[in-house]
Amino acid sequence: MNRALPLALGVGVVPALGVYALVSSVPTALGTAAVYVGAAYFYFAFDISLLAAAPRFDDRSDRLGYGVGLFGLSVTPILFAQSAGGDATVFGFMIAFFGAVAFLTLSEQARRRRGGGE
C-alpha cells in the first residue's frame, strides 16, 4: 500500500489546526489542510525536497525575472502581515500561502521526475 497519502493526511492536520486556532473558520482550515496534504504527498511519494536545486535559466532576463519573483514571494506575506497590524487572520493567510508555494514547487518537481518533460 502507498504510505504517502496517509502520511500526507497526517501532515495536513497540523497547519489546519493552527489556521483554525487563528481564524476559527472550518472552510479556511480545510483549504489549508488540502494544500499541505498535496505538498506532503509529493514530498513523500517522490522523495523530493523543497531545498532541491532551483531551476536553471540561461537567459539573463529569465534569471532576473526568477529572482524578482522569488523576492516577491518571500517578502509579500511578511509585508502583508505588517500592514494589517499582525491580525491573526493574516498569519493564517501566511500559513496557507507558504503551503501553496510548497505545493507548486513539489508538484512540478514530481512531474519532472515522473517524466513529464522539461
Side-chain angles (χ1 to χ4, degrees):
M1 180 179 149
N2 185 353
R3 292 185 4 204
L5 189 55
L7 288 171
L9 289 170
V11 168
V13 168
V14 175
L17 291 174
V19 167
Y20 184 76
L22 292 171
V23 181
S24 297
S25 168
V26 172
T28 303
L30 290 176
T32 302
V35 168
Y36 277 89
V37 167
Y41 172 78
F42 287 116
Y43 176 79
F44 292 127
F46 291 89
D47 193 29
I48 52 182
S49 171
L50 284 172
L51 302 177
R56 299 172 88 180
F57 298 104
D58 296 326
D59 188 290
R60 183 180 174 106
S61 61
D62 291 343
R63 287 193 303 248
L64 179 62
Y66 183 72
V68 168
L70 281 179
F71 176 77
L73 281 173
S74 63
V75 300
T76 299
I78 296 164
L79 295 172
F80 188 40
Q82 184 180 19
S83 69
D87 184 27
T89 303
V90 176
F91 291 113
F93 167 77
M94 288 175 55
I95 293 169
F97 182 82
F98 286 129
V101 172
F103 170 74
L104 293 172
T105 302
L106 292 170
S107 63
E108 177 59 19
Q109 287 181 26
R111 183 190 67 83
R112 289 181 184 199
R113 183 163 291 184
R114 173 85 25 113
E118 291 285 324

